[in-house]
Amino acid sequence: MSDFHQAYHVCGIIGTISVFMINAVSNGQIRGESYTNGCLGQRGARIWLFIGFLLGFASLITACWILFGGYIIPRKNPQWPGVGVFLQNAFIFFSGLVFKFGRTENLWG
């Protein structure tokens, strides 16, 4: 474990939080078609979704920075921890996108 800094786990945690934030808001709330306005209404739902996407992109960019700045450019061996951190965050981010936009929200069929 001497080749892997423990602070590198933080970007995976941030990416997971972003998946929960992105999928906590329904598409009906974003479009303003929900039955209740909630705390801040449509504007609050859009801000929440924007912050979720911001955290997701930030974790993906941070994973790229860890891969290249921590492993590829200094030519550390082994390089698999950097690749693992990047792939973990890429899969977290893209699975959140697929779950958000790749499904329908019709509950009644």
Side-chain angles (χ1 to χ4, degrees), residues 65-84:
W65 175 68
I66 289 170
L67 173 63
F68 288 104
Y71 291 97
I72 301 294
I73 293 174
R75 297 194 186 271
K76 273 188 172 179
N77 280 330
Q79 293 179 349
W80 64 265
V83 174

Side-chain angles (χ1 to χ4, degrees), residues 40-77:
L40 295 173
Q42 181 181 10
R43 183 172 298 160
R46 287 180 177 175
I47 291 170
W48 184 263
L49 185 69
F50 177 73
I51 292 172
F53 277 121
L54 189 70
L55 288 176
F57 280 118
S59 68
L60 196 61
I61 291 168
T62 305
C64 286
W65 175 68
I66 289 170
L67 173 63
F68 288 104
Y71 291 97
I72 301 294
I73 293 174
R75 297 194 186 271
K76 273 188 172 179
N77 280 330

Side-chain angles (χ1 to χ4, degrees), residues 13-107:
I13 294 168
I14 299 293
T16 304
I17 291 171
S18 77
V19 168
F20 289 131
M21 287 180 72
I22 289 170
N23 290 302
V25 179
S26 69
N27 291 334
Q29 290 171 331
I30 300 297
R31 290 188 299 259
E33 299 171 351
S34 62
Y35 292 114
T36 60
N37 289 335
C39 182
L40 295 173
Q42 181 181 10
R43 183 172 298 160
R46 287 180 177 175
I47 291 170
W48 184 263
L49 185 69
F50 177 73
I51 292 172
F53 277 121
L54 189 70
L55 288 176
F57 280 118
S59 68
L60 196 61
I61 291 168
T62 305
C64 286
W65 175 68
I66 289 170
L67 173 63
F68 288 104
Y71 291 97
I72 301 294
I73 293 174
R75 297 194 186 271
K76 273 188 172 179
N77 280 330
Q79 293 179 349
W80 64 265
V83 174
V85 168
F86 176 73
L87 287 177
Q88 172 192 2
N89 285 285
F91 288 147
I92 288 172
F93 181 70
F94 292 127
S95 67
L97 289 179
V98 166
F99 190 69
K100 177 68 177 171
F101 298 113
R103 63 187 170 103
T104 60
E105 293 180 350
N106 294 337
L107 296 176

